[in-house]
Each structure stands twice: as C-alpha cells, then as structure tokens.
Amino acid sequence: MHKKIKPNPAIFTQNSRIDISFNESNRNVWIENSVIPEKWAIASDHVITGVPENDWDIHIPSGICIDIVPVGEKGYAVRPYGIDDAFKGDIRHASTLWMGQPVSEWLQQRNLEITDLGGQASDLQKCKLFPYVSSEEEIEPVLKWMINEPGNDRGETIWRTSERFSADDLMDFAFLQRLYTQRKKLREENFKALENNYERSVFYQLDLSDVAAEYARMGLTVPDTVKDSSDRMTRIHNNMLRSRIFSLTEDKDNAKKEEEAAFSLLRDGLVNALRHSKRTPSLNVHPDQIVWGRSPARIDIAGGWTDTPPFSLFTGGNVVNLAVELNGQPPLQVYVKPCQEHHILLRSIDLGAAETVTTFEELRDYKKIGSPFSIPKAALALCGFIPEFSENSFRTLKEQLQHIESGIELTLLVAIPAGSGMGTSSLLASTVLGALNDFCGLQWDKADICSYTLVLEQLLTTGGGWQDQYGGVFHGIKLLQSEAGFEQKPRVNWLPDYLLTHPEYKPCHLLYYTGVTRVAKSILAEIVRGMFLNSAGHLQLLDEMKTHALDMAECIQRGDFTQYGQMISKTWEQKKAIDPGTNPPAVEQIISLVKPYCNGYKLPGAGGGGYLYMVAKDPMAAATIRKILLENPPNNRARFVEMELSTKGFQVSRS
C-alpha cells in the first residue's frame, strides 16, 4: 500500500507494500503483489509484480518491467523485460526487442553471443533468458546486471552459472501457490493499513460486503470502533462492517448490536437535521369544528429506492411517481376535533380499535410495529406533544392539554389493504401530520409535512425514503429530485398528465389488488444494509434506477405511450434485480395471464404483493385483461380498483 496521495493518476498499486515516495514523473506505473523498500528508485512505464521481501538498493530505468516468479519451494526466476516487448521474433533481427532494445545490443553490452542464450532457439519466446536463483539475496545483483549494470560481476556470474528458463518454460515451472501466499500476506497488511488510516484512505469507500468476507476468510481482527469525532456516515459504515464480520463469524449478539448502532446513527442524523425548531401547538379551531385531512395513494413508476437513505444522502435521488385516487376517493383520511376531557383519544375506523393516551410515556410508546396507533402517536410527538419536540415545558401531558384548553380526538380511516405497496404508512403519517398542522396552527407547508414524515418514519424505526409522502401529498405526475445530505428536500417537477388523462389512454391504466401482502420493513432493512456496506451490486443498480427516472420523465414529456409502458416494465426488472423477493410465484402467475396484452406492468412500492399496475396496449387489450382476471381470480381478496390521477394531492378542510 502506498501511504500518500498519488501525484499522477496513472499510478496503480495493489496488494503491495510501498515505502518509496512517488513524484509527478512516475507515470504509467503498475505495482502488484510486491514489496518496494525506500532504497528503490523508479521512473515511468513500469509493471512490477511478485517482488518478495527485500532491502535492495536498485534503480529501475524507464520502460523496464520486473516479474519475480517463484519456482519450487524456495527459488525464483528473475524475469525483467521492456514494457513494449512483444516476446516473439527472431533474436537475430534488429526488430526483435528485449528490455526495449534489439536483443543483439543487449548481448553486445554484456559481451555475450547468441549461443549464450542456450540451445538452438532463435525465437525470443523460447530463449533461456531468465536465471533461476535459490535465494532473495541473489536476485538483486543479477537483476541489476540484466537491466542497467552490465559491469556487475556477481550478477554476470549468477546469470552465466545458473539454470535458466525461457518464457515458455515459466508457464510450466512457476509455483503459483507461493505467489498466492505472498499476495495473501500483503493483502492482509493492506487491509489493516487502510483500516488504521481510514480518515485519509478509501477504506470506508470500498465494497464493505467484500471487505467483511475477506476479513472473515483471512481471520483478521474486527476493525476497532472509529472515533466519535468521525463523520456520521463513516461511523455508520464502521458499525455495519463490524456487524457483517461478526455475522460471518457466527457472533450473532455483536452483529445485532452493531447493526442497531448503524441504524440508530442514521435515524439520529435524519431527526437532528429537522430538530432545530421545536413546536408550540395550540388550539386553532372552534370547539365544535372538525379538521378533515385526506390524501391520495402513490404509484412509483421509476427511480424507487433511490430516495432511500443512506443512498439518497450520498448522491440524492430521482423518482417519478403518480398521486392517484381509488374508486373516486382519497383513500387515506384523518379527522381531528377537540374534546372536553384533557386527554388524547385515538380511533381507527377500519381496524375497529381505540386507545386513550394520558401521559407523555404513552405517547413515546410509538415504536411498536403493527400497533394501530404508532403513526398518530409519533405524529403527535413531532407536533410538540412530548417535551423533546416542545418549545414550552410542561410536567405532564394533561398540563399541556389544559394549557391549550382542549383534549384531542383523532380518528383514522385507511381504505387500502395493508402491504399494498401504495405508500400507505408514509401517506397516513403525512395525512395525520397535515391534519394536526391545521388543528394546532403549526403553519407547515406541504414540503414541511413531507420532511417531518421522513423523520416520523425514522422515529418508528421503519425507515424509508421520501418518495411515498411526496408522491401523494403533491398532486399529479412528477419527477422528484433531491440533493446529497441529511436534510432531504426534493424538488417537485410536474410532468404533463396527457398519457394518463387523454381519452385514448386513460382506460389503459389498470390497477388490480392481488390479495398477496408482504411487510416492507424486512425488504427495506436488507437493501439498506447493502447501501451501508457500499455493495457494488446495489449501488450500480441504484445509479441505473436514478438515470432511468430521468429517462422516464423525458418519455412522459414526449407523450410516447408505447415507450411509457416499456419503461414501466424496465422499472419492474430493476426492482426484481435489487430484491429477488419482489416477484413471488403468486404474482408471477397473475402476470403470466395478462402479459400478452400489456405494454408494461409492475407492483408499486417494494413489491412482493399488494397492487399490480398494468399499462394495457390499447382499450381493447384493457377490456381483455379485465375479463381474464375477473374470470380467473387468484384468491377471494383479488379485485380491480378504479384509479384516477389526483389533481389536488393532500387536502385539508374544516366543518
């Protein structure tokens, strides 16, 4: 490993220990599986491979390459050559080069004859050029003699008296296992050096899933916890790398502990980015008024997952999605009204559940996944009804409600099945926050509501990105784009709705509830792990998804209906590539029935179940799809749902 920033971009080192200092003249240098001590002097145009531990004092002229090949249990073949040598041709011809010069010149400089090269060979590839030495100490003098010191008597003696190999011979006599052993040792050193110098090295920019596998395979000690003063993303990478190594070495307790620490750091970063202003909720309605908030659902059509931290924190995200009403109504509805008792009454119409909250502690109990009231509790907390988010100080929740002279009754109605893939939980959170914003006079705009939704999901430990809430809170079809950084505030770029509203195309957009459900949290956690670990496969796919969103936006602007459907299918292929569980057999069976009649199709959201969005080739094909699925329902829950592009997004009104 080279310990400083390289002064020339054409310097490459791999699995090596390098103690020299490079300079600007060192261009076109490749060093692999080698030890280069400080006494060496190099120039340019070198390939240096296989050099063992040494203390040589040697100067390598420009254009000269060195390959030290292990032979047998202890010996080596010394193989220098010129970077432009072709290793073929008659050695008697001036056009046949070795060490960058005609073979005859090299021989003349050393008072050698062609016959000294051994045998009857005339082709350079078959000439006995490369001496065998039994120890590292003999390499230095013979190498010097061969490359630039023809007067080195000891080197000449070694060359003349040793057994020699041709380039052809070395293919048969090279002992590759010794090369692998040396590479392994140097690779271990490099990993630990990169790790120890992480503040200035690329260690935490590597594919950490591969690094973890290498640490486990080589038996290296787990990297130490980085300093608290390190930037947050480095600390997250460190925790997740440690977690993966512990997991690979069967230390499940420490693996879980480190992973939880990584996710906690991510949550804290996102929450802290919006924690700078605390709230002062008040009663902003008349005692008999009801605040009614409602939101459409969201269908993502390109770029999904690129909005998800930590990827969006590194590079920003691009997503194209639709806000849609189902069966003529916004499917997510929230009602908030004052009540005389100084408590908070939570109700769910669709779940038939109710809960009365009387203390801060009960509001803080919002992390239970599957609880019917986790979302409204977290929303109330963010609105300032717990001390952490309140500008004023109150000893109890009752005291705070007495201060605003009212209790709160909050009722939920979710007209979408669980696990639908339509952004339900995020949009319910946005709808609750939006209704409470109006009820409490917090004066948030739609972008603020979406930002606080991202924080709310981190508080719930469900994670997630920003596209769900932006997809429904903001109306129509749009390209959403965010920049890198913990404070994710996407730009909303509205796109023409021609392909979804024109009478020729509107009947071609079909939405079918498959009756198959899947919990998104487990999907999200696994993909986020890949992001934390810089998994090359994940990051490449996410970059492609990000570009695809821009291509989709351009397609919509051009009004190309056929390509729109094809690009929906490309989105589906990308989703399946990033998560194999996206397309379970039950869903694939449904798709197989309608595929011939579609330009494109996909499951919204993380996939695995929920709704199937189809773009039929034409209205007749749409009618055929309806007929097929009505006659062949996969289960007793499956059904068509009428979808229509929302022209308003989130709405709030009062009685």
Side-chain angles (χ1 to χ4, degrees):
M1 175 187 147
H2 175 55
K3 299 180 177 64
K4 296 182 180 179
I5 297 173
K6 59 186 183 181
N8 192 299
I11 297 174
F12 301 93
T13 66
Q14 185 175 15
N15 301 324
S16 298
R17 187 193 320 138
I18 300 172
D19 294 326
I20 61 172
S21 295
F22 291 118
N23 58 54
E24 293 180 359
S25 67
N26 300 136
R27 66 185 186 280
N28 300 330
V29 175
W30 178 283
I31 302 175
E32 200 273 331
N33 193 20
S34 294
V35 177
I36 310 298
E38 59 185 355
K39 292 181 181 179
W40 280 49
I42 67 171
S44 61
D45 300 316
H46 302 308
V47 176
I48 301 174
T49 53
V51 178
E53 291 275 359
N54 69 90
D55 189 31
W56 307 335
D57 185 353
I58 192 168
H59 170 73
I60 312 298
S62 182
I64 296 299
C65 303
I66 296 171
D67 182 26
I68 306 299
V69 182
V71 175
E73 295 293 334
K74 294 184 178 180
Y76 298 91
V78 182
R79 179 178 171 260
Y81 58 95
I83 196 164
D84 293 320
D85 291 356
F87 266 97
K88 63 180 180 179
D90 192 320
I91 59 176
R92 292 165 296 187
H93 294 168
S95 60
T96 302
L97 304 181
W98 185 42
M99 303 284 203
Q101 60 184 318
V103 177
S104 58
E105 289 185 12
W106 184 87
L107 292 170
Q108 184 179 4
Q109 291 165 3
R110 288 157 182 78
N111 298 316
L112 297 175
E113 302 293 335
I114 287 179
T115 54
D116 291 319
L117 298 182
Q120 302 300 315
S122 60
D123 188 89
L124 185 64
Q125 180 76 4
K126 300 181 183 300
C127 288
K128 306 288 186 178
L129 300 170
F130 309 118
Y132 169 82
V133 297
S134 58
S135 67
E136 289 89 344
E137 290 75 19
E138 292 180 299
I139 298 175
E140 180 183 8
V142 75
L143 182 59
K144 287 180 175 180
W145 178 80
M146 294 175 76
I147 64 174
N148 63 351
E149 294 186 18
N152 190 308
D153 294 338
R154 186 178 176 217
E156 180 179 358
T157 300
I158 293 171
W159 189 87
R160 286 183 177 276
T161 59
S162 68
E163 178 185 3
R164 296 197 302 275
F165 299 102
S166 68
D168 276 350
D169 294 334
L170 288 178
M171 296 181 188
D172 298 323
F173 287 95
F175 191 178
L176 297 182
Q177 186 56 50
R178 286 176 57 201
L179 271 181
Y180 299 151
T181 300
Q182 177 170 305
R183 180 181 289 123
K184 178 178 181 293
K185 179 175 181 292
L186 289 170
R187 188 173 176 81
E188 291 174 2
E189 288 183 13
N190 280 192
F191 269 126
K192 298 308 288 186
L194 285 167
E195 172 200 322
N196 294 332
N197 195 38
Y198 71 88
E199 291 176 300
R200 296 187 178 183
S201 77
V202 298
F203 186 68
Y204 286 107
Q205 299 170 38
L206 300 173
D207 185 329
L208 297 177
S209 55
D210 285 348
V211 172
E214 288 291 286
Y215 267 60
R217 183 180 63 81
M218 294 187 292
L220 297 177
T221 57
V222 177
D224 293 334
T225 302
V226 298
K227 295 180 290 188
D228 289 343
S229 58
S230 299
D231 70 86
R232 187 176 296 272
M233 287 312 306
T234 297
R235 292 162 64 198
I236 289 172
H237 286 315
N238 171 254
N239 285 129
M240 193 56 76
L241 173 60
R242 286 167 55 84
S243 172
R244 181 56 63 93
I245 296 171
F246 282 131
S247 178
L248 292 172
T249 54
E250 303 298 326
D251 187 345
K252 295 181 179 179
D253 290 341
N254 275 319
K256 182 179 179 182
K257 175 184 173 183
E258 294 293 334
E259 182 174 296
E260 288 174 350
F263 278 93
S264 178
L265 281 168
L266 176 63
R267 284 193 299 273
D268 290 347
L270 291 166
V271 171
N272 290 341
L274 293 172
R275 196 175 247 167
H276 53 275
S277 60
K278 295 189 175 184
R279 268 66 71 191
T280 307
S282 61
L283 184 63
N284 194 43
V285 297
H286 295 293
D288 62 344
Q289 273 191 310
I290 299 174
V291 172
W292 177 29
R294 55 235 185 250
S295 294
R298 172 284 291 130
I299 297 177
D300 59 305
I301 59 175
W305 289 121
T306 70
D307 65 304
T308 305
F311 180 80
S312 59
L313 309 185
F314 300 149
T315 67
N318 296 336
V319 178
V320 179
N321 60 24
L322 320 173
V324 294
E325 295 184 354
L326 306 182
N327 293 331
Q329 293 290 332
L332 299 153
Q333 306 200 17
V334 175
Y335 307 88
V336 188
K337 68 176 186 177
C339 65
Q340 292 183 350
E341 295 81 4
H342 294 112
H343 62 213
I344 298 173
L345 178 59
L346 304 174
R347 289 196 178 99
S348 170
I349 295 174
D350 53 293
L351 296 177
E355 182 178 340
T356 300
V357 176
T358 59
T359 67
F360 290 139
E361 288 69 28
E362 289 172 339
L363 266 189
R364 289 191 185 101
D365 185 28
Y366 48 66
K367 293 184 181 180
K368 288 183 179 178
I369 302 301
S371 166
F373 301 115
S374 292
I375 288 173
K377 285 181 179 180
L380 285 157
L382 276 175
C383 288
F385 287 101
I386 62 172
E388 296 93 304
F389 295 100
S390 175
E391 189 171 26
N392 298 323
S393 177
F394 300 98
R395 290 173 299 172
T396 64
L397 177 61
K398 183 176 181 179
E399 181 182 325
Q400 183 171 6
L401 294 172
Q402 287 173 336
H403 178 74
I404 67 171
E405 300 180 348
S406 176
I408 300 172
E409 184 176 323
L410 190 151
T411 303
L412 311 176
L413 173 60
V414 180
I416 307 179
S420 67
M422 302 282 279
T424 308
S425 61
S426 299
L427 279 165
L428 177 61
S430 294
T431 310
V432 174
L433 286 168
L436 287 171
N437 169 56
D438 187 76
F439 183 86
C440 298
L442 299 176
Q443 299 184 338
W444 294 339
D445 61 20
K446 285 187 174 183
D448 293 328
I449 291 168
C450 291
S451 295
Y452 285 119
T453 301
L454 181 63
V455 174
L456 184 149
E457 292 192 311
Q458 297 301 323
L459 291 176
L460 294 179
T461 73
T462 53
W466 41 254
Q467 73 123 330
D468 291 350
Q469 54 267 34
Y470 275 84
V473 168
F474 290 91
H475 68 274
I477 180 169
K478 57 266 176 199
L479 167 65
L480 303 166
Q481 295 179 286
S482 74
E483 304 296 333
F486 270 96
E487 195 164 352
Q488 290 283 293
K489 292 191 173 181
R491 297 188 307 278
V492 182
N493 307 283
W494 271 279
L495 300 171
D497 60 11
Y498 171 77
L499 294 180
L500 286 103
T501 59
H502 190 275
E504 181 182 356
Y505 302 128
K506 186 175 179 180
C508 300
H509 299 273
L510 303 174
L511 195 62
Y512 184 73
Y513 180 60
T514 65
V516 180
T517 59
R518 183 183 182 195
V519 179
K521 185 183 180 185
S522 60
I523 311 168
L524 175 68
E526 185 55 38
I527 292 174
V528 169
R529 286 187 194 100
M531 296 178 188
F532 279 148
L533 291 167
N534 300 330
S535 167
H538 281 99
L539 296 184
Q540 181 179 347
L541 272 170
L542 289 163
D543 283 334
E544 291 173 3
M545 289 175 164
K546 192 175 172 184
T547 300
H548 178 56
L550 299 178
D551 294 339
M552 174 66 86
E554 183 182 350
C555 168
I556 293 167
Q557 288 171 329
R558 290 199 314 269
D560 190 329
F561 178 73
T562 300
Q563 188 183 24
Y564 171 82
Q566 293 168 348
M567 296 189 79
I568 293 288
S569 285
K570 182 175 180 179
T571 299
W572 179 233
E573 293 303 317
Q574 290 175 333
K575 287 285 186 75
K576 290 191 294 182
I578 205 166
D579 174 28
T582 292
N583 188 28
V587 171
E588 180 58 33
Q589 186 175 2
I590 298 171
I591 290 173
S592 67
L593 296 174
V594 301
K595 187 175 181 178
Y597 308 99
C598 293
N599 279 334
Y601 47 82
K602 73 178 292 290
L603 297 181
Y611 285 86
L612 174 63
Y613 171 50
M614 296 166 280
V615 182
K617 292 180 177 179
D618 52 48
M620 287 187 62
T624 302
I625 291 170
R626 287 182 181 273
K627 183 175 185 295
I628 290 171
L629 293 181
L630 287 171
E631 292 177 354
N632 301 277
N635 53 65
N636 61 7
R637 298 175 301 281
R639 58 193 179 272
F640 278 99
V641 176
E642 299 308 313
M643 61 169 276
E644 186 165 350
L645 198 65
S646 170
T647 59
K648 295 180 179 178
F650 168 73
Q651 304 171 71
V652 64
S653 55
R654 301 182 180 192
S655 61

